[in-house]
Amino acid sequence: MTTTCILSESTAYISASANRHSHAADISPSGSTVAFGSSKLIAFWDVTDPSDRGVYETLPGHDGLVTCVQFVREDLFVSADDKGWASDASIQAHDKAISSLCVFDQFVTTGSSDASVKIWNIRQVDHKVELSESQIISLRARYPLALALTYLPQSKAIILAIAATDQKIHVYTCSENTFVPSVVLPGHEDWVRALAFRTPPLQQDALVLASGSQDGTIRLWNVEVLVKAKSQESDASGVPDQLNDELLDAFEASLGDLTDAEEGGRQISLKRHVLTVKSELSGSQQFTITFDALLIGHEAGVTSLSWSPSSSSTPTLLSTSTDSSLILWSPSTILASHLTSSIWINRQRFGDVGGQRLGGFVGGLWARGGNDALAWGWNGGWRRWQCASDGSVQNSSIESWTEIGAIGGHNGPVKDIDWSPQGEYLISVGIDQTTRIHGATPVQRSDNTSEVWHELGRPQVHGYDIVGAAFLDPWRFASIADEKIVRVFEAPRNFINLLSNLNVSDLAADDASRPFAASVPPLGLSNKATSEVSQSNNGGETRRRPYEGELVAITLWPEIEKVFGHGYESISLAVSTSKRMLATSCKATSAEHAVVRVYDVETWRPFGSVLAGHTLTVTRIAFSPDDRYILSVSRDRTWRLFEKGDNGYLPIAADKSHGRIIWDCAWSHEGDIFATASRDKTVKIWTSTDEAGKWTAGTTLKFKEAATSVAFCPKDESGRRWLAVGSETGEVFIHSSLMGTAAEWDLVLSLDNKNAHVDHVHRLAWRATKDPNKKQLASCSEDGTLKILIVQVGVD
């Protein structure tokens, strides 16, 4: 009787960063689900999840970098990318990148670097949503940076505000189903990057437009119905005399310190702009737009604006800036005789002090009905602040905000991953020049105890793109970057304390001589050990995971060794199973440099001679489980096998069966076979024959796309083992075979772009769990994401 192996998968962890576009994220109308662009993907984050699991799903569809995301309703959103595609890449909306997008009522507006804004109508046709183009607005060589749509006050007429690269706000109104230019609002001294309308809570209130600029200021504009009958207390400008004399004069005087003689200072204009809207139902209506307030507090350009949800009675404006700050603005009521006016104040300020560290914040959002403030930074990581009590924005005098955990990931392709020796945590490296450590923290639930994955450390923040990393033991790892050096790092005490406090690992470590933390000196690339205890981490006694700001600042590992030898930039790194040897390769266009260098980890001296034979770059190196062999594969389409001798490794076998570059290779955990993955769309399984030094291809697995990565999983109790194969287009395929039948491999599970990746899979790595029928597979990709999938094994 034969048994059939059945595999099913689920997602344990997704590490993904937000794109560097201020419109690349939005939150659902309920305030619970954040959708944001992550490279070519759209990631989803449930901010109300009590387990704090972070990103729970990624959605493919775009071929370009996602630049804009906005919800239409709870179950529908529109997205756009830098190739001009919109609506989940189903419509070629523009010839060039889409830089801004806005959705309101039945309209979708898209702004592009082709200097145009397009108006689209949303239609529901047979359970399918379609967009149809209705109008093109030419901006005449000006690029749209922000768009905002809403109803005019006390009307169903729609107003459109466009911020372009001419420092002005262009206002259009929809008259007789066509958007026509109405007024132009000057005042900002640099590009306007953000716009946001606040719908009036009461019918008689004014509609407020907030505009944020690279000049560091925010301007508020009131849009009101034109009232032709003026009170006697008003002058020709429509502003009360007492307000002019007492408040405006004092306000303008307070700007004196900011005046720059060369630039002319801050421009304050109380001009009333009048616009007329024609409608078939209501005829002609007139409205006014007047400047209301100038908000000064950011030290650099404003990147995003967002009004608190309509459920909040007190208007609160959230703004983010490249000065790494997030500010909540609210009006402070001032009574002047029988008049009531509002002066806007900086109510809360979050983020970092000290200028534009790491590019600052790219954008911000409200969540959970205004009780959470979110922002994502230049490097794609999110930060989150939460108000201690519900209804916080209604009573700002007693509110208390604290930072809580958010999410993050590599901002660029993830090149390599490696599990710690016992699988307690995972290390990843990428061309964003960071090394990150991810671990699973136990979470108590009502039914049982489960694990939730988080980023726990950022031990290396480098000046070069990092391309490889491997653990030497639980507390040491080696990494290579786009330089000629191998760098070795050792865990400081604060990291070991953190793992112990979070119950991630109970590994014992000698803390007596271990430095507490590390820091990078100015203009340096090497992390230096330090014994200073930072107040921000409370001496390593914190019982929570570090947040994004802390990951950047206090989780570095000291660098303890540098290894030299290669003449060009490093490409591949491997550590032996016994952790006693390390092998490296570098970029090469000749046989002289296409060599593998092997080092003794205890002395860091070369072990034997260099391993020669290849003629082009060695792309991957793998030690056999018993360290008897070293396998190397290359751009020259060959693999070579070296056997360990008394004074080094010696060549014993080679083959050139593949027709294209060989990207990856891997040994089975039993050491009887190895696999090679090639651009020729095949993976070959190699077995040893009776003849000494002879290896033959026992079977060839064929794929529709290039195979870029391979990894074996140890056999289970039934003697079955698995081989995971990653492809150039992001899919992952899992094959199984019984021990003793290396020539027979069956495809048992295919992971498509939604569950796996959408681009080149660089690395795969298996991790065993306590449950013999459950395995974890980590994968990293050119699409910038790192995923840990749970593979459940069943038998039919």
Side-chain angles (χ1 to χ4, degrees):
M1 178 179 177
T2 60
T3 59
T4 303
C5 178
I6 302 174
L7 271 66
S8 60
E9 90 288 344
S10 58
T11 302
Y13 177 58
I14 300 176
S15 172
S17 67
N19 291 337
R20 293 173 178 172
H21 294 271
S22 58
H23 308 292
D26 194 24
I27 194 161
S28 62
S30 66
S32 61
T33 303
V34 176
F36 62 92
S38 180
S39 185
K40 300 176 183 179
L41 294 161
I42 296 171
F44 297 92
W45 171 27
D46 183 1
V47 295
T48 63
D49 181 7
S51 299
D52 191 21
R53 294 182 181 274
V55 175
Y56 63 87
E57 184 181 2
T58 56
L59 183 67
H62 286 278
D63 292 328
L65 195 73
V66 177
T67 58
C68 303
V69 175
Q70 186 161 8
F71 276 92
V72 179
R73 56 176 189 256
E74 193 71 25
D75 62 343
L76 177 67
F77 68 90
V78 180
S79 59
D81 61 32
D82 64 355
K83 291 189 176 180
W85 289 90
S87 185
D88 210 7
S90 61
I91 296 175
Q92 181 71 53
H94 294 268
D95 294 330
K96 296 184 179 180
I98 297 176
S99 56
S100 54
L101 184 150
C102 185
V103 177
F104 181 76
D105 195 33
Q106 297 301 311
F107 292 101
V108 174
T109 57
T110 56
S112 168
S113 55
D114 62 9
S116 72
V117 172
K118 290 189 178 182
I119 313 297
W120 307 79
N121 291 321
I122 305 176
R123 296 185 303 170
Q124 185 94 23
V125 180
D126 297 332
H127 304 288
K128 183 180 180 181
V129 177
E130 296 181 352
L131 294 182
S132 59
E133 182 182 317
S134 64
Q135 186 180 350
I136 301 177
I137 299 174
S138 175
L139 299 183
R140 300 179 182 178
R142 296 185 297 266
Y143 298 157
L145 302 177
L147 302 169
L149 278 168
T150 192
Y151 289 124
L152 283 163
Q154 304 179 35
S155 169
K156 287 298 181 181
I158 294 180
I159 180 174
L160 166 64
I162 302 174
T165 53
D166 61 353
Q167 307 176 12
K168 298 180 177 64
I169 304 168
H170 301 261
V171 178
Y172 288 71
T173 54
C174 188
S175 293
E176 299 175 347
N177 298 321
T178 301
F179 283 89
V180 296
S182 298
V183 298
V184 176
L185 305 178
H188 283 293
E189 299 171 2
D190 206 335
W191 290 358
V192 180
R193 302 301 300 264
L195 295 172
F197 278 114
R198 180 180 186 266
T199 303
L202 301 176
Q203 184 177 6
Q204 65 271 20
D205 291 343
L207 171 69
V208 180
L209 170 64
S211 60
S213 168
Q214 287 187 171
D215 63 15
T217 67
I218 300 169
R219 288 174 176 255
L220 301 184
W221 311 81
N222 285 342
V223 184
E224 301 172 284
V225 176
L226 177 62
V227 179
K228 296 183 178 180
K230 299 289 190 294
S231 67
Q232 295 181 356
E233 297 179 354
S234 300
D235 62 9
S237 66
V239 181
D241 293 334
Q242 191 167 3
L243 182 61
N244 280 340
D245 295 338
E246 297 180 6
L247 295 179
L248 293 179
D249 289 348
F251 177 62
E252 292 180 358
S254 69
L255 298 177
D257 295 337
L258 301 173
T259 302
D260 188 325
E262 294 181 359
E263 298 183 3
R266 309 286 181 179
Q267 299 179 7
I268 303 297
S269 173
L270 299 179
K271 178 181 178 181
R272 182 178 59 179
H273 303 271
V274 180
L275 54 91
T276 303
V277 179
K278 296 181 180 179
S279 171
E280 296 179 357
L281 298 177
S282 57
S284 178
Q285 289 180 285
Q286 287 189 313
F287 302 86
T288 63
I289 302 179
T290 54
F291 170 76
D292 180 61
L294 179 67
L295 312 187
I296 301 175
H298 287 295
E299 299 173 359
V302 177
T303 54
S304 73
L305 297 171
S306 178
W307 289 100
S308 56
S310 57
S311 60
S312 305
S313 60
T314 302
T316 303
L317 180 65
L318 181 155
S319 65
T320 60
S321 168
T322 55
D323 66 2
S324 297
S325 69
L326 182 153
I327 296 179
L328 303 184
W329 307 85
S330 290
S332 176
T333 303
I334 297 177
L335 297 178
S337 183
H338 63 285
L339 299 174
T340 301
S341 181
S342 294
I343 300 297
W344 288 75
I345 61 171
N346 176 338
R347 196 182 85 210
Q348 296 285 345
R349 187 185 185 101
F350 310 128
D352 300 317
V353 178
Q356 305 178 44
R357 191 183 78 174
L358 300 177
F361 288 131
V362 174
L365 298 169
W366 291 99
R368 296 178 62 249
N371 289 302
D372 285 10
L374 313 176
W376 70 98
W378 181 256
N379 286 328
W382 289 77
R383 298 184 68 176
R384 180 181 181 186
W385 292 269
Q386 190 171 86
C387 192
S389 59
D390 291 338
S392 60
V393 292
Q394 281 86 353
N395 193 349
S396 60
S397 61
I398 60 173
E399 67 184 5
S400 175
W401 291 79
T402 56
E403 185 170 4
I404 61 174
I407 58 174
H410 285 280
N411 186 33
V414 187
K415 303 295 286 189
D416 199 8
I417 53 177
D418 189 40
W419 289 102
S420 60
Q422 300 301 320
E424 301 91 355
Y425 37 88
L426 179 75
I427 193 170
S428 64
V429 298
I431 67 169
D432 64 351
Q433 305 182 349
T434 66
T435 300
R436 303 172 187 239
I437 290 182
H438 315 261
T441 60
V443 175
Q444 296 290 336
R445 300 172 64 91
S446 57
D447 50 354
N448 56 11
T449 300
S450 60
E451 294 180 335
V452 176
W453 286 84
H454 298 293
E455 184 180 341
L456 300 181
R458 207 164 293 175
Q460 183 185 12
V461 179
H462 203 30
Y464 294 95
D465 297 349
I466 309 176
V467 297
F471 277 103
L472 300 171
D473 58 44
W475 309 121
R476 290 187 303 161
F477 73 89
S479 72
I480 55 174
D482 197 18
E483 57 178 348
K484 304 172 186 178
I485 307 171
V486 180
R487 299 177 184 268
V488 182
F489 300 84
E490 186 171 21
R493 267 187 293 142
N494 65 354
F495 179 77
I496 296 174
N497 293 341
L498 175 68
L499 295 191
S500 177
N501 294 339
L502 295 178
N503 296 319
V504 174
S505 170
D506 57 358
L507 294 173
D510 181 14
D511 295 343
S513 60
R514 190 179 297 273
F516 181 79
S519 61
V520 180
L523 304 179
L525 292 175
S526 300
N527 298 353
K528 303 299 182 182
T530 177
S531 58
E532 297 179 1
V533 178
S534 171
Q535 293 182 354
S536 59
N537 60 15
N538 194 24
E541 296 303 323
T542 178
R543 297 286 175 176
R544 59 163 176 80
R545 63 184 176 95
Y547 303 151
E548 178 67 21
E550 297 166 331
L551 288 168
V552 174
I554 62 173
T555 63
L556 291 174
W557 288 23
E559 183 180 316
I560 61 172
E561 191 67 50
K562 293 185 181 70
V563 184
F564 299 86
H566 289 292
Y568 290 95
E569 293 82 356
S570 302
I571 284 292
S572 184
L573 170 75
V575 173
S576 64
T577 308
S578 64
K579 309 300 181 184
R580 296 179 180 177
M581 287 174 289
L582 178 143
T584 60
S585 68
C586 73
K587 294 180 181 178
T589 56
S590 65
E592 178 185 1
H593 296 282
V595 296
V596 175
R597 295 180 180 271
V598 184
Y599 300 91
D600 186 321
V601 169
E602 292 184 0
T603 63
W604 296 112
R605 294 182 179 277
F607 179 73
S609 303
V610 298
L611 309 186
H614 290 291
T615 58
L616 294 174
T617 303
V618 175
T619 55
R620 191 74 73 199
I621 309 166
F623 284 87
S624 62
D626 58 1
D627 294 343
R628 178 183 175 185
Y629 300 109
I630 289 180
L631 173 66
S632 61
V633 295
S634 167
R635 297 183 69 92
D636 64 10
R637 308 176 184 182
T638 68
W639 62 258
R640 293 184 177 272
L641 198 62
F642 304 86
E643 186 174 14
K644 187 177 181 181
D646 294 335
N647 298 314
Y649 283 84
L650 301 174
I652 62 168
D655 185 88
K656 197 175 182 179
S657 298
H658 283 292
R660 302 291 297 277
I661 178 177
I662 305 177
W663 282 119
D664 197 10
C665 62
W667 286 91
S668 68
H669 288 258
E670 297 72 34
D672 57 329
I673 59 176
F674 65 82
T676 54
S678 171
R679 185 180 281 171
D680 64 9
K681 303 179 182 181
T682 66
V683 169
K684 294 181 182 291
I685 312 296
W686 302 85
T687 60
S688 178
T689 63
D690 295 336
E691 301 179 32
K694 295 294 184 180
W695 292 74
T696 59
T699 188
T700 299
L701 307 177
K702 297 182 179 180
F703 301 90
K704 294 182 180 180
E705 304 294 341
T708 57
S709 57
V710 287
F712 283 96
C713 184
K715 66 177 181 179
D716 59 15
E717 297 176 353
S718 65
R720 184 176 293 275
R721 55 187 172 188
W722 292 270
L723 172 67
V725 180
S727 73
E728 190 175 41
T729 52
E731 297 94 345
V732 174
F733 306 94
I734 299 178
H735 294 72
S736 75
S737 174
L738 287 171
M739 288 292 296
T741 59
E744 299 177 6
W745 289 84
D746 300 320
L747 178 63
V748 293
L749 184 64
S750 297
L751 304 176
D752 58 16
N753 295 127
K754 184 176 181 180
N755 295 318
H757 301 277
V758 295
D759 212 335
H760 188 125
V761 179
H762 287 297
R763 204 74 154 132
L764 295 167
W766 289 94
R767 177 201 187 212
T769 63
K770 296 179 181 179
D771 185 349
N773 294 323
K774 185 180 295 184
K775 312 289 184 182
Q776 288 186 345
L777 177 64
S779 61
C780 63
S781 169
E782 187 75 13
D783 65 14
T785 62
L786 180 153
K787 295 187 176 184
I788 299 177
L789 301 175
I790 301 173
V791 180
Q792 188 76 35
V793 181
V795 176
D796 188 5

